[in-house]
Amino acid sequence: MRIPDEGFVRCGRVDRQCGHRRTRRPRDGSYDRHAWRLFADTQRSHAAHRGSAHSMCGGRDRRLHRYRALGRALPRALEDRLSPAAISGVVAEHGLEVNEVELAAHWGDPAAYSEDELDSDRTVVRMATELGAGRIHTTMSQHFPLDTLARGLRELCCRAADAGAVVALEYMPYAAIDSATRAWQVIEASGADNAGLLIDAWHWQRAHTADEPESALRAIPAARVAAIQLCDTLPEPLPDLRREALHCRQLPGHGAAALIPMLRRLARHGVRAPIAVEVVSDELDAQDPYLTAQQAYASSRTVLHDSGRPSGEPGFRDAHW
């Protein structure tokens, strides 16, 4: 598997929203503000919550020098429907890099999707090419036979390879691919060497990944874990898990998820994947993004430190578990 040698550093992502509203790329080559969100992660904690890059990196003349990059939609820029080149310019202006895009979610069987749905996945791959992202995140909500999933993932990976990217498959407890072992089954069956597993702490907790058979989890090669995302859960799951995942996540260490055991278990397995924070939270989105970024930095650093991760400078860049 050709995973970029980026240690634990991950700095940036563009999020393609494919859930409730689908948007298509305008004819002028720009990207609609409803379709794209720009994210980034930290240099030292390797994680930053979604915040406003404009307000935190110059819009208010305030900077967080602990961060290499800060993220969340560039709302003012995207309202002007910037071209990919213009988006790259804004990213570079604030010292950011884009190294992942998401979410490709319509690859199970082409016959099962509308042209708009298929085009949304093509757009994700195109964004990876145009913004230089090395990783494409994906998931699968619809149920298909294993051979259909394997073929679809392989085809997505071929397109990603042309863009110079790997594909990170994310399992979700409310999706068709609902466990780490099921995700690995699909990855392995695809035969794609640029396919890997994305482990999100919220999904790890709510999908009860820690309770999956040890032998099955150990069968997943450490090198095929493409990325890890940190966040935390509510004390008790909501009846609607999808709603909780999209609106009610907590900062790392501020909830009930067993984050430190998860990180230590992955470390023992030899996982050296990039780590970032993904706290999808209405409450945090409503507050000052500068404050949110500070909170994300502090909480992430504490969790990583408590898990046993060395805190060498600069930014744990050369640290190993």
Side-chain angles (χ1 to χ4, degrees), residues 7-308:
F8 289 95
V9 177
R10 190 189 77 168
C11 42
R13 96 170 177 232
V14 174
D15 188 357
R16 176 72 160 127
Q17 299 180 63
C18 302
H20 300 291
R21 175 172 182 167
R22 300 186 184 94
T23 56
R24 301 189 68 177
R25 187 181 183 184
R27 293 181 182 274
D28 61 7
S30 64
Y31 292 97
D32 189 285
R33 67 188 178 91
H34 297 295
W36 299 105
R37 289 182 177 178
L38 188 63
F39 290 77
D41 309 316
T42 68
Q43 176 181 14
R44 296 193 177 184
S45 69
H46 314 291
H49 174 71
R50 304 174 177 186
S52 167
H54 178 83
S55 64
M56 289 187 284
C57 296
R60 296 195 215 165
D61 196 29
R62 297 193 296 185
R63 294 177 180 271
L64 292 179
H65 297 290
R66 293 178 181 272
Y67 291 86
R68 175 179 181 180
L70 302 171
R72 182 175 175 172
L74 303 173
R76 298 179 186 177
L78 295 185
E79 282 172 2
D80 293 332
R81 297 164 66 94
L82 294 181
S83 67
I87 292 175
S88 296
V90 175
V91 170
E93 178 185 351
H94 297 305
L96 296 161
E97 298 174 4
V98 176
N99 81 338
E100 68 176 41
V101 297
E102 66 173 44
L103 185 69
H106 308 101
W107 45 267
D109 180 355
Y113 304 110
S114 69
E115 184 58 30
D116 281 358
E117 289 171 326
L118 295 173
D119 187 60
S120 72
D121 280 12
R122 288 191 288 265
T123 304
V124 171
V125 176
R126 188 163 57 243
M127 284 292 287
T129 301
E130 294 172 340
L131 294 179
R135 187 165 60 253
I136 296 171
H137 289 182
T138 186
T139 191
M140 178 51 57
S141 297
Q142 297 83 17
H143 290 271
F144 296 101
L146 176 60
D147 60 341
T148 301
L149 290 172
R151 181 172 59 254
L153 182 61
R154 182 167 59 250
E155 292 172 354
L156 175 63
C157 287
C158 287
R159 285 182 280 153
D162 291 339
V166 301
V167 174
L169 178 58
E170 183 174 17
Y171 65 94
M172 303 177 182
Y174 45 81
I177 299 177
D178 58 2
S179 69
T181 51
R182 175 61 172 170
W184 172 243
Q185 186 182 26
V186 175
I187 292 168
E188 190 173 35
S190 76
D193 66 356
N194 64 327
L197 178 66
L198 171 60
I199 293 178
D200 179 302
W202 190 94
H203 299 305
W204 173 286
Q205 184 74 15
R206 290 295 186 241
H208 305 287
T209 305
D211 297 331
E212 293 189 52
E214 179 69 19
S215 59
L217 290 176
R218 294 190 67 82
I220 303 172
R224 300 299 291 270
V225 177
I228 300 168
Q229 294 176 334
L230 291 180
C231 62
D232 218 321
T233 66
L234 296 172
E236 297 294 333
L238 296 183
D240 185 344
L241 288 180
R242 188 174 187 277
R243 174 171 177 75
E244 182 186 343
L246 296 178
H247 298 277
C248 305
R249 298 192 191 198
Q250 307 295 299
L251 288 165
H254 290 238
L259 297 183
I260 292 174
M262 179 195 78
L263 290 170
R264 288 176 176 172
R265 185 171 183 176
L266 291 172
R268 289 194 301 270
H269 190 49
V271 173
R272 299 292 185 270
I275 298 178
V277 136
E278 185 182 56
V279 184
V280 190
S281 164
D282 291 351
E283 181 180 355
L284 292 179
D285 282 352
Q287 71 178 20
D288 183 346
Y290 184 85
L291 173 61
T292 297
Q294 291 178 312
Q295 292 172 334
Y297 172 82
S299 62
S300 301
R301 184 180 178 90
T302 298
V303 167
L304 292 172
H305 177 270
D306 291 349
S307 73

